Amino acid sequence: MTSTPQPARDVVELCRDLIRIDTSNYGAGNAKGEREAAELVAAQLAEVGIQAQLFESENRRTSLVAHWEPDGCDTGLPPLLIHGHTDVVPAVAADWQVDPFAAEVIDGYLWGRGAVDMKDFDAIVLSVVRDRVRTGRPPRRPIRLVFTADEEAGGPLGSGWLAEHHPDLLADCPEAIGEVGGFSLTVNDRRLYLVQVAEKGLAWLNLIADGQAGHGSFRNDDNAITALARAVTNIGSYQWPVRIHPALRQFLDAVEDALGVPVNADNAEETLARLGSISRMVGATLSSTANPTMLGGGYKLNVIPGQATAGIDGRFLPGYEDEFYQTISRLIGDRVHYQKAVADIAVETEFSGDLVTAMQDVLAAEDPGSVAVPFVMSAGTDAKAWSRLGIRCFGFAPLQLPPELDFIALFHGVDERVPIASLEFGCRALDRFLDRA
């Protein structure tokens, strides 16, 4: 005899437990807490009879993989990959109103680093899976659960390492859901649920200018700093051409319908500005981007250095990787060269198929009158690693959000927090989704 389903009953405490483990990822292989977080997830799964494997790319850089194929699921269907990451970006406690790792509940919100990115979805997945095991409700198809380390540093010690060293674990998964998507955006009292179907490629570059070192009082026509400054200025002031990706066009069409105003490439920025902070993220997908972020060179005021360096955060749209690098080469000129510090592919799939239909059906059932729309992500996720295995990746971590919440600003932001009601909605939506996916 099964008990009454309560998929949201544990989600708040599970999320609090995860937030209280400081899994700050400082980059360059420097992180903490990922082993403890993976062990917590493994223990929660083991409590309901699901055994997980822990994998370490380096000491304590731990990712988890679990196969959930209970009696009653259709093993003739290919598995669905559901993935999240346990690491978070660092938080400076002095900047916050609360301790970022205390996981306080205040006025209907759960506060803490990772509440939005992405321990909320980790907890939703754990809560739903545990409840379905307890109540004897198998998913429609087999599920692969993956919780990775190192996503906040691009994933070379997490998803990238798993995809390279253990591709067999996920080789039979044609599709996946994870971050960033499934959250609501209210436009003229209509809720649009944004499902990520594409994300920009990553090009973190080191610019290097070499020149003639010498005394600061001498004339110098081969000054590395001068050459570098020119290159940085060219990149920082360059206006990249607008390229409307098909998913962005569908998103703009939905916004056009909700606002009742036409949206085209010429006025897209102006229209998006009416959507609040999300306009920054969506606006960044109108074109490739390259932003200077670091400068280095010299060691004394009266010495011209022989070398100067700069850092560039570059992101290119799907299909425009070659154009991006050709443009960078032209902008920096012959005196400067670049090295790729971190580089990764752009990802895209179509907003179509049975899995998309399941998302649309679930959102329509949980929030009648809402519309699911695709969008392009300006940043990157673990989808890059999974797509290399031929997996179609969607950002679908459903959250119904209050219209006044500046949700996008909370990603990596100060005072990160998620509404308790949104966590509960996510549990209901994911629970329903597992019956249809």
Side-chain angles (χ1 to χ4, degrees), residues 183-187 190-194 251 254-255 258 370-371 373:
F183 58 90
S184 67
L185 169 68
T186 302
V187 181
R190 178 183 300 178
R191 271 191 290 271
L192 309 179
Y193 284 88
L194 279 57
F251 173 81
V255 170
S370 65
V371 180
V373 298

Side-chain angles (χ1 to χ4, degrees), residues 101 188 248 366 385 404:
F101 298 104
N188 273 6
L248 178 59
E366 290 294 332
E404 69 277 6

Side-chain angles (χ1 to χ4, degrees), residues 46-305:
E47 191 175 278
V48 293
I50 300 173
Q51 299 305 308
Q53 294 176 275
L54 300 185
F55 298 87
E56 289 198 339
S57 54
E58 293 181 356
N59 184 40
R60 305 191 68 79
R61 304 308 303 274
T62 313
S63 298
L64 176 151
V65 179
H67 290 200
W68 182 34
E69 300 183 14
D71 291 341
C73 78
D74 187 348
T75 55
L77 296 173
L80 173 68
L81 167 60
I82 301 179
H83 63 97
H85 62 84
T86 60
D87 63 321
V88 298
V89 297
V92 179
D95 296 338
W96 286 55
Q97 296 182 55
V98 300
D99 182 338
F101 298 104
E104 294 189 37
V105 175
I106 304 172
D107 296 332
Y109 282 77
L110 173 55
W111 293 58
R113 177 58 87 216
V116 166
D117 186 12
M118 66 170 297
K119 291 178 177 179
D120 55 345
F121 188 59
D122 294 343
I124 287 170
V125 172
L126 286 173
S127 179
V128 170
V129 169
R130 284 161 52 87
D131 185 75
R132 292 183 76 98
V133 173
R134 289 190 183 110
T135 56
R137 297 179 299 121
R140 190 176 79 94
R141 62 199 283 190
I143 301 295
R144 302 287 185 261
L145 299 170
V146 177
F147 296 81
T148 61
D150 201 40
E151 191 275 344
E152 295 295 0
L157 300 179
S159 61
W161 186 87
L162 280 175
E164 180 181 356
H165 293 277
H166 298 282
D168 54 300
L169 293 172
L170 305 173
D172 52 353
C173 296
E175 297 168 316
I177 64 167
E179 63 170 359
V180 172
F183 58 90
S184 67
L185 169 68
T186 302
V187 181
N188 273 6
D189 297 324
R190 178 183 300 178
R191 271 191 290 271
L192 309 179
Y193 284 88
L194 279 57
V195 178
Q196 179 186 331
V197 298
E199 62 184 53
K200 297 171 88 172
L202 185 62
W204 290 350
L205 309 177
N206 289 319
L207 302 188
I208 302 168
D210 292 307
Q212 181 64 48
H215 198 288
S217 67
F218 296 166
R219 291 181 177 179
N220 190 318
D221 296 328
D222 190 21
N223 189 316
I225 287 181
T226 302
L228 181 75
R230 186 178 300 112
V232 168
T233 299
N234 288 344
I235 291 174
S237 60
Y238 182 68
Q239 297 296 311
W240 293 83
V242 172
R243 312 289 193 194
I244 303 295
H245 188 276
L248 178 59
R249 180 69 265 171
Q250 289 177 271
F251 173 81
L252 294 175
D253 287 345
V255 170
E256 179 178 286
D257 184 57
L259 292 176
V261 296
V263 182
N264 54 50
D266 292 335
N267 69 357
E269 294 270 16
E270 179 182 342
T271 302
L272 288 173
R274 299 171 61 178
L275 304 181
S277 69
I278 198 172
S279 64
R280 299 196 300 273
M281 181 175 70
V282 177
T285 64
L286 290 168
S287 68
S288 297
T289 56
N291 287 306
T293 56
M294 300 175 67
L295 285 172
Y299 56 91
K300 197 169 185 293
L301 282 173
N302 64 342
V303 177
I304 298 172

